[in-house]
């Protein structure tokens, strides 16, 4: 509610740094997915042997992500006074102020949501694809993890910030199936859910499949002609699997 009154940048930075903080906390325990789109991408990908992730774990992650999001939205609905007015545009000499009730603030809504479902789908598809791509590049790919110094959660947080700035006014900037579903369940408002839900799901799946196809590999997939490294007795793929890529 505060960020709705303070502007888009405040909300974008707040959300981005929140995910960064939680990502640093959770990456050792669970990989810090935090987003069903990321989990769907990991499940659809063919990652290196150093990052095995079976379908049962994936579905358990998604259930926990949805449950946590819904509980958080329910908590907000009880703690934050949703009867207050949020001013979108202040009054002028020619027009009255444009405002809405606080409960709308928590919904994934933008100026495109009501009448431009295809545009919402494309925005969410592209932004979620980019976000999950960042996750794969900084949290799964061993080469990037070593060179980034372990700052993957910060890159993901910045990616979320950019996504909110890019699509926030138009769509509400979900970039997560859980973010789309949770407030709808908490507040009982189910309009305009299909486009952002499908966009975030297909964005995560597409990013996971494409990144793993282009950049992640297993030893059996590499021809002998490429098995030349500076370390005697070690192939490039084996070094990759061991996290020793230099």
């Amino acid at each position: 509610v505060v960020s709705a009154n303070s502007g888009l940048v405040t909300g974008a930075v707040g959300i981005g740094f929140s995910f960064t903080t939680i990502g640093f906390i959770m990456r050792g325990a669970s990989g810090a997915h935090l987003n069903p789109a990321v989990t769907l991408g990991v499940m659809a990908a063919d990652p290196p042997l150093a990052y095995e992730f079976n379908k049962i774990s994936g579905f358990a992650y998604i259930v926990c992500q949805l449950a946590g999001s819904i509980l958080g939205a329910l908590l907000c609905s009880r703690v934050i006074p949703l009867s207050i007015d949020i001013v979108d545009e202040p009054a002028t000499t020619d027009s009255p102020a444009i405002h809405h009730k606080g409960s709308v603030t928590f919904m994934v809504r933008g100026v495109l949501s009501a009448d431009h479902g295809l545009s919402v789908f494309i925005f969410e598809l592209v932004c979620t694809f980019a976000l999950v791509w960042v996750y794969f590049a900084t949290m799964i790919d061993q080469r990037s993890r070593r060179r980034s110094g372990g700052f993957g959660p910060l890159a993901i947080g910045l990616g979320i910030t950019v996504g909110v700035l890019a699509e926030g006014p138009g769509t509400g900037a979900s970039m997560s199936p859980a973010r789309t579903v949770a407030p709808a369940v908490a507040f009982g408002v189910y309009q305009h859910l299909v486009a952002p839900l499908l966009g975030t799901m297909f964005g995560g799946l597409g990013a996971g499949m494409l990144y793993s196809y282009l950049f992640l590999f297993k030893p059996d997939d590499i021809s002998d002609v490429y098995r030349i490294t500076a370390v005697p007795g070690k192939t490039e793929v084996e070094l990759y699997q061991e996290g020793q890529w230099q």
Side-chain angles (χ1 to χ4, degrees):
V1 175
V2 173
S3 63
N5 275 325
S6 302
L8 179 65
V9 175
T10 303
V13 173
I15 294 170
F17 276 101
S18 296
F19 269 81
T20 296
T21 303
I22 299 172
F24 276 117
I25 294 171
M26 296 301 298
R27 64 177 177 177
S30 66
H33 288 197
L34 305 179
N35 183 342
V38 172
T39 304
L40 287 172
V42 174
M43 292 170 66
D46 187 18
L49 297 177
Y51 192 85
E52 292 290 355
F53 192 80
N54 60 52
K55 300 298 187 292
I56 296 177
S57 298
F59 285 118
Y61 271 43
I62 292 174
V63 169
C64 292
Q65 291 156 359
L66 291 173
S69 298
I70 292 172
L71 288 174
L74 287 170
L75 179 62
C76 289
S77 70
R78 299 296 185 269
V79 174
I80 298 176
L82 302 177
S83 60
I84 63 174
D85 285 335
I86 306 299
V87 177
D88 296 319
E89 296 182 17
T92 65
T93 55
D94 299 321
S95 62
I98 300 175
H99 58 88
H100 61 265
K101 293 298 181 181
S103 59
V104 180
T105 302
F106 293 95
M107 309 306 297
V108 181
R109 298 286 187 275
V111 297
L112 300 175
S113 297
D115 302 315
H116 302 280
L118 179 59
S119 298
V120 172
F121 172 81
I122 294 173
F123 267 112
E124 291 290 1
L125 177 72
V126 172
C127 289
T128 307
F129 182 98
L131 177 61
V132 177
W133 190 277
V134 172
Y135 182 92
F136 268 76
T138 60
M139 297 288 285
I140 292 181
D141 195 322
Q142 295 288 342
R143 295 167 295 179
S144 296
R145 289 176 64 183
R146 289 179 61 81
R147 294 169 181 172
S148 65
F151 285 96
L154 178 59
I156 295 168
L158 292 174
I160 292 173
T161 298
V162 172
V164 173
L165 293 174
E167 66 162 332
T171 68
S174 172
M175 292 179 283
S176 167
R179 171 69 180 91
T180 301
V181 171
V185 173
F187 297 101
V189 181
Y190 297 98
Q191 293 85 358
H192 317 305
L193 287 184
V194 175
L197 186 60
L198 292 179
T200 54
M201 292 174 63
F202 283 112
L205 288 168
M209 295 172 68
L210 185 59
Y211 193 98
S212 64
Y213 177 79
L214 293 176
F215 300 112
L216 305 181
F217 44 78
K218 295 181 178 181
D220 293 341
D221 298 330
I222 307 300
S223 172
D224 288 338
V225 71
Y226 298 108
R227 297 176 180 271
I228 301 175
T229 67
V231 181
K234 290 286 186 180
T235 68
E236 189 171 88
V237 179
E238 289 170 341
L239 290 175
Y240 181 89
Q241 301 295 345
E242 295 173 6
Q244 298 177 1
W245 190 292
Q246 300 297 327

